[in-house]
């Protein structure tokens, strides 16, 4: 006490002691992380090795995946991207992290991926709990069930293309197709989950849920940075923080209300039936209204922007390359005599060049571009030959593995032919657009069907020209966990084809 009281008596001296203590603590922490941490031997940007600030600052600028890719180009296939996180970029790592047995559990990062206070199949981290929830829905997402939904999806595609045709006035007016493919993708998942149409395709007016979906991205980013903000965000005085959480709250209320209403409806959507009828094997009871709503919210988020942005990037890539455009048009003229036809899904599944274009769009523009972080829970984990300490966060980001020049030569170029050779097994082993293993995309069949129906229908129906108002900067991919074009616009001239 005799030593402390002269310090406490003098506020300036007390402040100096506090600052000195903080500096000593920080120097100690950074020295440990740099030289004595179990990951100290891994290369990476200096700031990333001592602090998570490097990764979070790039995340806030929506370019975390790009920064990590630059680090891979500089340091190789394994990079330390945070004091406790390694990013890998090899097919072997894909198998080691996501593929084997049950795969590694998702990292705490996914806690931010909850809409309500409950977990969904997307956010849940426990492997047993995940298996229970996923098995409830697996049949609804099988290819057989999804293909049964093709006629309804085709109707929606015709609605969307008709709206584009009206707005393009015979090819004389540039049309921004970006919102229309978002309306379409949203209406598809809306109908799939809620058995209702959102109305946007008929009226051309944005459904409030579109803004609410966008708001979730901002809320997700804030929550990943500062978890407690999730419960207080909508009461805060700052509009930039308050607004996304308020919109998110409205969206949750809307979904819970629909679940309450739909439970007793014998014409409810198949996904709703699968979530409400049988007990969850892990919980050993049926799901509550909020738990069902959480699943629906997750599906709408995971299944709309991802598909829509893939379509937008694909169209842009095709229209700017005359050879690819002509090859695609030639294939489609050969298979669909009527330009206004939406093809049958069993036929569309086999259009060779169209499917190569789709694969190349999913490779070049993976709409989940960043790492899908997992946690090492055992002491004996080996990833691509590296022994990984327990507790380390590990991941492979699609933005990087899809740009491996050894597997995809000239990776920045859009080259559908790379999917058409006699042996494409190397490319397919490195393709991770829908994830790998037990946590891979449950909606893959729905997304693929959407791409396989939209792409031929759009390019068969229209002769397409790029409007000069579309710039390369508009089409730079942002990474806000899901990736999209920065400018949120793709302006095109669309003339009815013959
Ligand atoms: C082109 C479109 C799509 C792409 C590129 C895509 C990609 C992915 C990827 C990479 C994952 C793994 C994420 C992770 O581990 O963090 C994932 C998971 C998931 N996706 Fe998709 N997705 C698409 C469309 C859809 C659709 C249409 C739905 C639903 C209707 C959907 C629902 C989900 C769900 C629920 C998960 C979590 C699965 C689990 O953890 O068991 N996705 N998706």
């Amino acid at each position: 006490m005799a030593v402390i009281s002269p310090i406490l008596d003098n506020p300036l001296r007390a402040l100096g002691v506090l600052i000195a203590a903080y500096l000593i603590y920080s120097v100690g922490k950074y020295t440990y992380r740099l030289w004595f941490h179990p990951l100290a031997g891994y290369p990476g940007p200096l700031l990333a090795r001592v602090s998570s600030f490097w990764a979070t600052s790039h995340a806030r600028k929506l370019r975390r995946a790009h920064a990590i890719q630059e680090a891979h180009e500089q340091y190789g296939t394994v990079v330390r991207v945070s004091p406790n996180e390694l990013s890998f970029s090899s097919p072997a790592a894909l198998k080691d992290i996501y593929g084997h047995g049950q795969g590694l559990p998702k990292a705490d990062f996914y806690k931010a991926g909850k809409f309500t206070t409950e977990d969904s199949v997307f956010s849940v981290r426990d492997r047993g709990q995940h298996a229970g929830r996923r098995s409830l829905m697996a049949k609804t997402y099988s290819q057989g069930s999804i293909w049964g939904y093709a006629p309804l999806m085709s109707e929606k595609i015709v609605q969307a293309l008709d709206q584009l045709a009206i707005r393009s006035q015979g090819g004389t007016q540039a049309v921004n197709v970006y919102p229309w493919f978002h309306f379409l993708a949203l209406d598809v998942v809306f109908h799939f989950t809620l058995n209702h149409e959102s109305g946007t395709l008929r009226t051309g007016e944005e459904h409030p849920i579109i803004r609410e979906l966008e708001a979730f991205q901002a809320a997700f980013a804030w929550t990943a940075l500062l978890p407690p903000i999730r419960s207080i965000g909508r009461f805060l005085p700052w509009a930039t923080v308050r607004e996304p959480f308020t919109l998110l709250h409205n969206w949750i209320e809307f979904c819970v209300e629909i679940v309450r209403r739909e439970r007793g409806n014998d014409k409810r959507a198949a996904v709703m039936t699968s979530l409400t009828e049988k007990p969850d094997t892990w919980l050993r009871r049926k799901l509550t209204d909020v738990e069902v709503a959480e699943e629906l919210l997750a599906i709408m988020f995971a299944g709309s922007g991802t598909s829509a942005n893939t379509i937008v990037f694909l169209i842009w890539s095709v229209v700017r390359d005359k050879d690819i455009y002509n090859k695609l048009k030639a294939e489609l003229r050969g298979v669909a005599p009527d330009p206004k036809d939406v093809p049958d899904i069993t036929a569309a599944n086999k259009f060779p060049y169209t499917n190569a274009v789709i694969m190349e769009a999913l490779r070049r523009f993976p709409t989940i571009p960043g790492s899908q972080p997992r946690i090492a829970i055992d002491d004996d984990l080996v990833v691509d030959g590296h022994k990984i300490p327990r507790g380390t966060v590990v991941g492979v980001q699609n933005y990087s593995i899809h740009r491996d020049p050894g597997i995809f030569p000239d990776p920045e170029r859009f080259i559908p032919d790379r999917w058409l050779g006699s042996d494409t097994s190397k490319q397919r082993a490195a393709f991770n657009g829908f994830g790998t293993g037990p946590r891979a995309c449950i909606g893959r069949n729905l997304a693929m069907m959407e791409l396989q129906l939209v792409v031929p229908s759009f390019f068969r129906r229209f002769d397409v020209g790029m409007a000069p108002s579309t710039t390369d900067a508009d089409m730079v991919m942002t990474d806000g966990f899901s990736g999209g074009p920065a400018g949120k616009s793709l302006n095109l001239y669309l003339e009815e084809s013959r």
Side-chain angles (χ1 to χ4, degrees):
M1 209 52 200
V3 179
I4 294 175
S5 32
I7 298 173
L8 293 181
D9 288 349
N10 181 333
L12 262 184
R13 199 178 297 155
L15 184 66
V17 168
L18 270 180
I19 291 173
Y22 178 73
L23 285 176
I24 291 167
Y25 164 77
S26 300
V27 169
K29 184 169 77 175
Y30 297 141
T31 305
Y32 168 75
R33 287 176 173 177
L34 214 45
W35 286 295
F36 303 102
H37 190 281
L39 302 185
Y42 287 95
L46 178 66
L47 189 54
R49 283 152 57 213
V50 296
S51 156
S52 53
F53 180 76
W54 182 84
T56 48
S57 67
H58 286 299
R60 297 230 34 211
K61 289 182 235 151
L62 302 179
R63 61 174 320 276
R64 187 181 190 268
H66 311 68
I68 292 179
Q69 167 60 7
E70 284 152 21
H72 276 298
E73 283 165 12
Q74 188 176 350
Y75 299 103
T77 54
V78 49
V79 177
R80 191 174 174 198
V81 295
S82 266
N84 196 37
E85 180 171 353
L86 295 175
S87 171
F88 290 84
S89 66
S90 65
L94 269 186
K95 277 200 195 146
D96 293 336
I97 295 172
Y98 305 100
H100 283 190
Q102 294 181 295
L104 297 178
K106 285 188 168 179
D108 278 357
F109 164 80
Y110 288 90
K111 280 186 190 167
K114 288 200 246 186
F115 299 82
T116 64
T117 47
E118 303 299 334
D119 267 314
S120 70
V121 72
F122 170 74
S123 67
V124 68
R125 291 166 315 287
D126 181 273
R127 289 188 287 191
Q129 192 175 353
H130 171 258
R133 189 61 61 88
R134 185 141 173 156
S135 68
L136 269 186
M137 290 183 274
K139 215 170 132 213
T140 318
Y141 284 99
S142 67
Q143 193 181 66
S145 306
I146 293 293
W147 281 15
Y149 188 63
L152 188 60
M153 188 185 275
S154 304
E155 267 176 44
K156 292 183 188 302
I157 292 171
V158 172
Q159 274 184 338
L161 299 189
D162 283 347
Q163 290 280 11
L164 289 177
I166 293 167
R167 281 158 179 77
S168 67
Q169 296 180 21
T172 57
Q173 296 297 314
V175 189
N176 180 7
V177 300
Y178 173 94
W180 286 98
F181 287 111
H182 279 259
F183 293 166
L184 172 63
L186 177 70
D187 207 43
V188 166
V189 284
F190 208 83
H191 219 131
F192 180 68
T193 49
L194 305 177
N195 211 14
H196 285 278
E197 60 163 35
S198 69
T200 41
L201 289 178
R202 260 186 310 103
T203 61
E205 278 169 28
E206 211 179 87
H207 192 280
I209 209 166
I210 297 216
R211 278 191 63 217
E212 289 159 10
L213 270 167
E214 283 183 358
F216 178 65
Q217 242 187 353
F220 187 41
W222 278 111
T223 313
L225 281 178
L226 205 65
I229 209 168
R230 179 69 192 75
S231 26
I232 54 165
R234 76 191 161 98
F235 304 109
L236 292 175
W238 307 283
T240 40
V241 185
R242 190 184 58 238
E243 215 161 86
F245 286 100
T246 307
L247 287 168
L248 180 60
H249 176 77
N250 296 346
W251 187 23
I252 293 169
E253 296 275 289
F254 170 80
C255 260
V256 174
E257 188 46 45
I258 288 196
V259 174
R260 277 194 196 122
R261 227 175 40 219
E262 283 292 297
R263 268 195 194 271
N265 180 358
D266 52 10
K267 288 206 182 88
R268 62 191 181 270
V271 69
M272 182 84 89
T273 305
S274 67
L275 288 167
T276 50
E277 239 172 30
K278 280 192 258 153
D280 176 309
T281 50
W282 193 84
L283 295 171
R284 297 199 189 145
R285 58 164 175 78
K286 290 187 179 180
L287 304 185
T288 63
D289 289 344
V290 176
E291 285 165 342
V292 175
E294 175 70 32
E295 290 297 346
L296 303 182
L297 290 157
I299 294 168
M300 281 188 246
F301 178 70
S304 51
T306 45
S307 303
N309 287 329
T310 307
I311 294 169
V312 171
F313 281 124
L314 181 152
I315 293 175
W316 178 67
S317 308
V318 170
V319 176
R320 67 208 294 259
D321 187 315
K322 271 288 153 223
D323 283 348
I324 297 173
Y325 177 83
N326 289 335
K327 261 174 143 171
L328 183 60
K329 291 286 277 186
E331 175 168 280
L332 297 174
R333 269 191 216 103
V335 291
D338 182 348
K340 290 195 175 166
D341 263 0
V342 177
D344 182 79
I345 182 60
T346 45
N349 188 37
K350 297 195 186 99
F351 297 163
Y353 195 69
T354 308
N355 279 293
V357 168
I358 291 171
M359 283 305 291
E360 184 62 350
L362 290 163
R363 175 200 73 83
R364 174 67 180 75
F365 303 99
T367 47
I368 306 283
S371 164
Q372 297 144 40
R374 304 294 190 256
I375 182 106
I377 45 165
D378 298 318
D379 283 322
D380 55 0
L381 176 70
V382 175
V383 177
D384 197 10
H386 299 268
K387 193 161 183 324
I388 305 297
R390 187 179 357 177
T392 304
V393 175
V394 288
V396 175
Q397 57 167 18
N398 292 343
Y399 194 83
S400 293
I401 192 159
H402 288 182
R403 279 172 168 71
D404 182 329
I407 302 168
F408 303 106
D410 206 353
E412 294 301 330
R413 273 193 60 209
F414 190 85
I415 310 177
D417 283 345
R418 56 172 112 240
W419 298 99
L420 288 173
S422 58
D423 180 8
T424 55
S425 52
K426 227 167 59 170
Q427 291 89 311
R428 288 181 197 275
F431 175 74
N432 194 48
F434 291 106
T436 299
R439 303 301 298 254
C441 181
I442 197 170
R444 179 182 186 143
N445 290 325
L446 187 69
M448 280 308 288
M449 183 166 85
E450 197 164 338
L451 291 164
Q452 288 174 325
L453 294 183
V454 168
V455 174
S457 309
F458 177 80
F459 281 104
R460 181 63 191 94
R461 174 148 179 185
F462 296 118
D463 292 333
V464 189
M466 191 82 75
S469 49
T470 296
T471 65
D472 285 1
D474 286 337
M475 300 305 295
V476 168
M477 182 184 255
T478 54
D479 169 23
F481 188 70
S482 84
K488 297 188 175 177
S489 70
L490 172 59
N491 300 318
L492 301 173
Y493 295 112
L494 305 172
E495 202 177 334
E496 297 273 4
S497 207
R498 281 170 221 290

